[in-house]
Amino acid sequence: MSAWEQNVRKVVPYVPGEQPGQEGIIKLNTNENPYPPAPGVARALREMESKQLRLYPDPAASVLVEALAGRYGLRPEQVFVGVGSDDVLAMAFLTFFNSGKPILFPDITYSFYDVWAKLFGIPYACQMLDENFCIRREDYVRENGGIVLANPNAPTGVAESIEGIRWILDKNPGIIVIIDEAYIDFGGDSAVSLIPEYENLLVVQTFSKSRSMAGMRIGCALGQPKLIKYLNDVKYSFNSYTMDLPALKLGVESVKDEEYFQETLRRIVATRERVKTELGKLGFVFPDSRSNFVFVSHPRIQARELFEALKERRIYVRYFPKPRIDNYLRITIGTDEEMDVLLDFLKKYVRQKER
Ligand SMILES: *Cc1c(COP(=O)(O)O)cnc(C)c1O
């Protein structure tokens, strides 16, 4: 190894789901929304002119911050925005987790948390979910440098109650608790309602799933003004212009159209419930999902083998070769038509296996 190489910051990166380029595949592997963003987003995109790109965007991202503040009944000083919630979460880890004590998150959760912890040199301790993939609240009552919970959790889809979140906040005064609500719009109670009561609570959300804008990269953090100020100090020390002009304009259009948003959510939740019923009939078992995906296992079929068979049929789902979940598949809820193709395939597959 050459001298310079010994001084490289070596990291094992997070591995996102595949983005296969081909036409005609059914893509249920990265929890994207099958429906387009609000019509106003398309309109604003058409009306955008390249000469607008000559100037730097507003570093404070004011139009988007104000739209989000209005949507959540908060003040603009309570809203931070970033380049997807991955950027927001990374910034929050960097800003708040400097005590030298281990931060806590579940053993089965979003697999970016441990990657950021290692990147930033933050010690961490994973807490085992119970056999139903639920959090054991008592695990979060011990000396720690911060807590991160995805609610609903990924890749399980299991939601923690607002009472559970409140209990953990009450047991951890003086500790920053981050609730990653990437999937909250599909079901479950948002911790945004607790913000006025807890100065140590940071709620993180994204436009990637419920708002159909994964390609635009918009995320936000909501919390009391002091937390948001510290986040902005770090952001301005890193990159003043994280949010580009299209993101600001198109993000506002999405937030403005509450009716379209609710209608899209309603459709996905209806499809999810129908898919749960059908999967149950085929013998699949799964925790009760409150998100836009289901996390399924079958008593007589190997997940890895089914994953390969689905891929062969050009249906992409997500498989995690990890302890405790290596016999599960995470399947994103697509359109009804896409889910029918999936269900038809599974019916034949299960029948043939059980012959
Ligand atoms: C998808 C996801 C994110 C990141 O989403 P962005 O596209 O970066 O906004 C964060 N947390 C969880 C749990 C997710 O599933």
Side-chain angles (χ1 to χ4, degrees), residues 163-181:
E163 293 74 38
I165 304 282
R166 184 188 278 286
W167 191 89
I168 290 170
L169 282 161
D170 282 331
K171 298 284 181 194
N172 288 280
I175 303 275
I176 298 295
V177 177
I178 297 178
I179 308 296
D180 177 355
E181 295 190 346

PDB file of all heavy atoms in Angstrom, residues 163-181:
ATOM      1  N   GLU A 163     -47.276   6.933  21.403  1.00  0.00           N
ATOM      2  CA  GLU A 163     -47.019   6.774  22.846  1.00  0.00           C
ATOM      3  C   GLU A 163     -45.632   6.180  23.062  1.00  0.00           C
ATOM      4  O   GLU A 163     -44.931   6.547  24.002  1.00  0.00           O
ATOM      5  CB  GLU A 163     -48.063   5.856  23.508  1.00  0.00           C
ATOM      6  CG  GLU A 163     -49.473   6.404  23.566  1.00  0.00           C
ATOM      7  CD  GLU A 163     -50.161   6.384  22.205  1.00  0.00           C
ATOM      8  OE1 GLU A 163     -49.959   5.410  21.440  1.00  0.00           O
ATOM      9  OE2 GLU A 163     -50.870   7.354  21.888  1.00  0.00           O
ATOM     10  N   GLY A 164     -45.262   5.229  22.202  1.00  0.00           N
ATOM     11  CA  GLY A 164     -43.932   4.608  22.298  1.00  0.00           C
ATOM     12  C   GLY A 164     -42.822   5.628  22.082  1.00  0.00           C
ATOM     13  O   GLY A 164     -41.821   5.658  22.797  1.00  0.00           O
ATOM     14  N   ILE A 165     -43.009   6.474  21.072  1.00  0.00           N
ATOM     15  CA  ILE A 165     -42.024   7.514  20.762  1.00  0.00           C
ATOM     16  C   ILE A 165     -41.942   8.489  21.951  1.00  0.00           C
ATOM     17  O   ILE A 165     -40.845   8.871  22.392  1.00  0.00           O
ATOM     18  CB  ILE A 165     -42.428   8.304  19.485  1.00  0.00           C
ATOM     19  CG1 ILE A 165     -42.630   7.367  18.292  1.00  0.00           C
ATOM     20  CG2 ILE A 165     -41.448   9.433  19.195  1.00  0.00           C
ATOM     21  CD1 ILE A 165     -41.409   6.877  17.606  1.00  0.00           C
ATOM     22  N   ARG A 166     -43.094   8.860  22.461  1.00  0.00           N
ATOM     23  CA  ARG A 166     -43.149   9.789  23.597  1.00  0.00           C
ATOM     24  C   ARG A 166     -42.432   9.200  24.820  1.00  0.00           C
ATOM     25  O   ARG A 166     -41.671   9.890  25.507  1.00  0.00           O
ATOM     26  CB  ARG A 166     -44.611  10.099  23.940  1.00  0.00           C
ATOM     27  CG  ARG A 166     -44.795  11.123  25.044  1.00  0.00           C
ATOM     28  CD  ARG A 166     -46.242  11.236  25.455  1.00  0.00           C
ATOM     29  NE  ARG A 166     -47.052  12.089  24.601  1.00  0.00           N
ATOM     30  CZ  ARG A 166     -46.981  13.422  24.591  1.00  0.00           C
ATOM     31  NH1 ARG A 166     -46.125  14.056  25.359  1.00  0.00           N
ATOM     32  NH2 ARG A 166     -47.778  14.131  23.818  1.00  0.00           N
ATOM     33  N   TRP A 167     -42.652   7.901  25.035  1.00  0.00           N
ATOM     34  CA  TRP A 167     -42.022   7.215  26.169  1.00  0.00           C
ATOM     35  C   TRP A 167     -40.494   7.287  26.047  1.00  0.00           C
ATOM     36  O   TRP A 167     -39.792   7.608  26.999  1.00  0.00           O
ATOM     37  CB  TRP A 167     -42.503   5.750  26.194  1.00  0.00           C
ATOM     38  CG  TRP A 167     -42.148   4.989  27.427  1.00  0.00           C
ATOM     39  CD1 TRP A 167     -42.883   4.895  28.576  1.00  0.00           C
ATOM     40  CD2 TRP A 167     -40.973   4.194  27.638  1.00  0.00           C
ATOM     41  NE1 TRP A 167     -42.238   4.089  29.485  1.00  0.00           N
ATOM     42  CE2 TRP A 167     -41.066   3.648  28.940  1.00  0.00           C
ATOM     43  CE3 TRP A 167     -39.838   3.889  26.854  1.00  0.00           C
ATOM     44  CZ2 TRP A 167     -40.084   2.813  29.477  1.00  0.00           C
ATOM     45  CZ3 TRP A 167     -38.858   3.059  27.392  1.00  0.00           C
ATOM     46  CH2 TRP A 167     -38.986   2.532  28.683  1.00  0.00           C
ATOM     47  N   ILE A 168     -39.990   7.018  24.827  1.00  0.00           N
ATOM     48  CA  ILE A 168     -38.538   7.045  24.603  1.00  0.00           C
ATOM     49  C   ILE A 168     -37.996   8.471  24.772  1.00  0.00           C
ATOM     50  O   ILE A 168     -36.937   8.685  25.377  1.00  0.00           O
ATOM     51  CB  ILE A 168     -38.195   6.446  23.215  1.00  0.00           C
ATOM     52  CG1 ILE A 168     -38.448   4.933  23.250  1.00  0.00           C
ATOM     53  CG2 ILE A 168     -36.759   6.754  22.807  1.00  0.00           C
ATOM     54  CD1 ILE A 168     -38.390   4.239  21.897  1.00  0.00           C
ATOM     55  N   LEU A 169     -38.744   9.463  24.283  1.00  0.00           N
ATOM     56  CA  LEU A 169     -38.323  10.871  24.449  1.00  0.00           C
ATOM     57  C   LEU A 169     -38.277  11.236  25.937  1.00  0.00           C
ATOM     58  O   LEU A 169     -37.333  11.893  26.389  1.00  0.00           O
ATOM     59  CB  LEU A 169     -39.288  11.801  23.707  1.00  0.00           C
ATOM     60  CG  LEU A 169     -39.107  11.888  22.190  1.00  0.00           C
ATOM     61  CD1 LEU A 169     -40.367  12.428  21.528  1.00  0.00           C
ATOM     62  CD2 LEU A 169     -37.897  12.754  21.833  1.00  0.00           C
ATOM     63  N   ASP A 170     -39.290  10.811  26.685  1.00  0.00           N
ATOM     64  CA  ASP A 170     -39.340  11.132  28.112  1.00  0.00           C
ATOM     65  C   ASP A 170     -38.171  10.519  28.881  1.00  0.00           C
ATOM     66  O   ASP A 170     -37.684  11.103  29.843  1.00  0.00           O
ATOM     67  CB  ASP A 170     -40.666  10.646  28.723  1.00  0.00           C
ATOM     68  CG  ASP A 170     -41.820  11.588  28.382  1.00  0.00           C
ATOM     69  OD1 ASP A 170     -41.556  12.793  28.189  1.00  0.00           O
ATOM     70  OD2 ASP A 170     -42.966  11.106  28.292  1.00  0.00           O
ATOM     71  N   LYS A 171     -37.734   9.336  28.455  1.00  0.00           N
ATOM     72  CA  LYS A 171     -36.632   8.648  29.147  1.00  0.00           C
ATOM     73  C   LYS A 171     -35.273   9.197  28.726  1.00  0.00           C
ATOM     74  O   LYS A 171     -34.257   8.800  29.285  1.00  0.00           O
ATOM     75  CB  LYS A 171     -36.667   7.141  28.852  1.00  0.00           C
ATOM     76  CG  LYS A 171     -37.907   6.431  29.314  1.00  0.00           C
ATOM     77  CD  LYS A 171     -37.893   6.207  30.822  1.00  0.00           C
ATOM     78  CE  LYS A 171     -39.145   5.458  31.248  1.00  0.00           C
ATOM     79  NZ  LYS A 171     -39.360   5.487  32.693  1.00  0.00           N
ATOM     80  N   ASN A 172     -35.245  10.048  27.695  1.00  0.00           N
ATOM     81  CA  ASN A 172     -33.970  10.534  27.169  1.00  0.00           C
ATOM     82  C   ASN A 172     -33.895  12.056  27.071  1.00  0.00           C
ATOM     83  O   ASN A 172     -33.593  12.606  26.005  1.00  0.00           O
ATOM     84  CB  ASN A 172     -33.707   9.916  25.785  1.00  0.00           C
ATOM     85  CG  ASN A 172     -33.358   8.456  25.858  1.00  0.00           C
ATOM     86  OD1 ASN A 172     -32.212   8.092  26.149  1.00  0.00           O
ATOM     87  ND2 ASN A 172     -34.344   7.604  25.607  1.00  0.00           N
ATOM     88  N   PRO A 173     -34.150  12.757  28.171  1.00  0.00           N
ATOM     89  CA  PRO A 173     -34.037  14.219  28.094  1.00  0.00           C
ATOM     90  C   PRO A 173     -32.561  14.564  27.844  1.00  0.00           C
ATOM     91  O   PRO A 173     -31.674  13.874  28.331  1.00  0.00           O
ATOM     92  CB  PRO A 173     -34.488  14.679  29.476  1.00  0.00           C
ATOM     93  CG  PRO A 173     -34.239  13.517  30.380  1.00  0.00           C
ATOM     94  CD  PRO A 173     -34.414  12.280  29.537  1.00  0.00           C
ATOM     95  N   GLY A 174     -32.339  15.586  27.054  1.00  0.00           N
ATOM     96  CA  GLY A 174     -30.947  15.969  26.810  1.00  0.00           C
ATOM     97  C   GLY A 174     -30.241  15.121  25.767  1.00  0.00           C
ATOM     98  O   GLY A 174     -29.046  15.285  25.538  1.00  0.00           O
ATOM     99  N   ILE A 175     -30.976  14.215  25.124  1.00  0.00           N
ATOM    100  CA  ILE A 175     -30.407  13.361  24.067  1.00  0.00           C
ATOM    101  C   ILE A 175     -31.196  13.635  22.788  1.00  0.00           C
ATOM    102  O   ILE A 175     -32.421  13.658  22.807  1.00  0.00           O
ATOM    103  CB  ILE A 175     -30.607  11.863  24.414  1.00  0.00           C
ATOM    104  CG1 ILE A 175     -29.999  11.514  25.771  1.00  0.00           C
ATOM    105  CG2 ILE A 175     -30.119  10.974  23.287  1.00  0.00           C
ATOM    106  CD1 ILE A 175     -28.546  11.180  25.756  1.00  0.00           C
ATOM    107  N   ILE A 176     -30.482  13.829  21.667  1.00  0.00           N
ATOM    108  CA  ILE A 176     -31.216  14.043  20.414  1.00  0.00           C
ATOM    109  C   ILE A 176     -31.807  12.726  19.912  1.00  0.00           C
ATOM    110  O   ILE A 176     -31.109  11.720  19.783  1.00  0.00           O
ATOM    111  CB  ILE A 176     -30.289  14.647  19.326  1.00  0.00           C
ATOM    112  CG1 ILE A 176     -29.749  16.015  19.759  1.00  0.00           C
ATOM    113  CG2 ILE A 176     -31.050  14.761  17.988  1.00  0.00           C
ATOM    114  CD1 ILE A 176     -30.792  17.105  19.908  1.00  0.00           C
ATOM    115  N   VAL A 177     -33.121  12.760  19.672  1.00  0.00           N
ATOM    116  CA  VAL A 177     -33.833  11.599  19.130  1.00  0.00           C
ATOM    117  C   VAL A 177     -34.303  11.967  17.720  1.00  0.00           C
ATOM    118  O   VAL A 177     -35.065  12.918  17.546  1.00  0.00           O
ATOM    119  CB  VAL A 177     -35.039  11.224  20.021  1.00  0.00           C
ATOM    120  CG1 VAL A 177     -35.813  10.058  19.410  1.00  0.00           C
ATOM    121  CG2 VAL A 177     -34.576  10.890  21.445  1.00  0.00           C
ATOM    122  N   ILE A 178     -33.804  11.214  16.720  1.00  0.00           N
ATOM    123  CA  ILE A 178     -34.208  11.447  15.333  1.00  0.00           C
ATOM    124  C   ILE A 178     -35.244  10.402  14.944  1.00  0.00           C
ATOM    125  O   ILE A 178     -35.010   9.203  15.087  1.00  0.00           O
ATOM    126  CB  ILE A 178     -32.993  11.343  14.379  1.00  0.00           C
ATOM    127  CG1 ILE A 178     -31.957  12.432  14.701  1.00  0.00           C
ATOM    128  CG2 ILE A 178     -33.454  11.455  12.918  1.00  0.00           C
ATOM    129  CD1 ILE A 178     -30.700  12.371  13.827  1.00  0.00           C
ATOM    130  N   ILE A 179     -36.399  10.870  14.466  1.00  0.00           N
ATOM    131  CA  ILE A 179     -37.409   9.957  13.932  1.00  0.00           C
ATOM    132  C   ILE A 179     -37.424  10.127  12.412  1.00  0.00           C
ATOM    133  O   ILE A 179     -37.750  11.201  11.909  1.00  0.00           O
ATOM    134  CB  ILE A 179     -38.817  10.238  14.524  1.00  0.00           C
ATOM    135  CG1 ILE A 179     -38.780  10.264  16.072  1.00  0.00           C
ATOM    136  CG2 ILE A 179     -39.827   9.194  14.021  1.00  0.00           C
ATOM    137  CD1 ILE A 179     -38.412   8.952  16.733  1.00  0.00           C
ATOM    138  N   ASP A 180     -37.035   9.079  11.712  1.00  0.00           N
ATOM    139  CA  ASP A 180     -36.961   9.091  10.254  1.00  0.00           C
ATOM    140  C   ASP A 180     -38.318   8.650   9.712  1.00  0.00           C
ATOM    141  O   ASP A 180     -38.644   7.468   9.709  1.00  0.00           O
ATOM    142  CB  ASP A 180     -35.833   8.143   9.823  1.00  0.00           C
ATOM    143  CG  ASP A 180     -35.694   8.018   8.306  1.00  0.00           C
ATOM    144  OD1 ASP A 180     -36.517   8.594   7.571  1.00  0.00           O
ATOM    145  OD2 ASP A 180     -34.741   7.334   7.868  1.00  0.00           O
ATOM    146  N   GLU A 181     -39.105   9.611   9.252  1.00  0.00           N
ATOM    147  CA  GLU A 181     -40.482   9.334   8.813  1.00  0.00           C
ATOM    148  C   GLU A 181     -40.601   9.242   7.292  1.00  0.00           C
ATOM    149  O   GLU A 181     -41.536   9.777   6.689  1.00  0.00           O
ATOM    150  CB  GLU A 181     -41.436  10.398   9.377  1.00  0.00           C
ATOM    151  CG  GLU A 181     -41.537  10.350  10.897  1.00  0.00           C
ATOM    152  CD  GLU A 181     -42.645  11.228  11.477  1.00  0.00           C
ATOM    153  OE1 GLU A 181     -43.175  12.079  10.742  1.00  0.00           O
ATOM    154  OE2 GLU A 181     -42.979  11.052  12.654  1.00  0.00           O
TER     155      GLU A 181
END
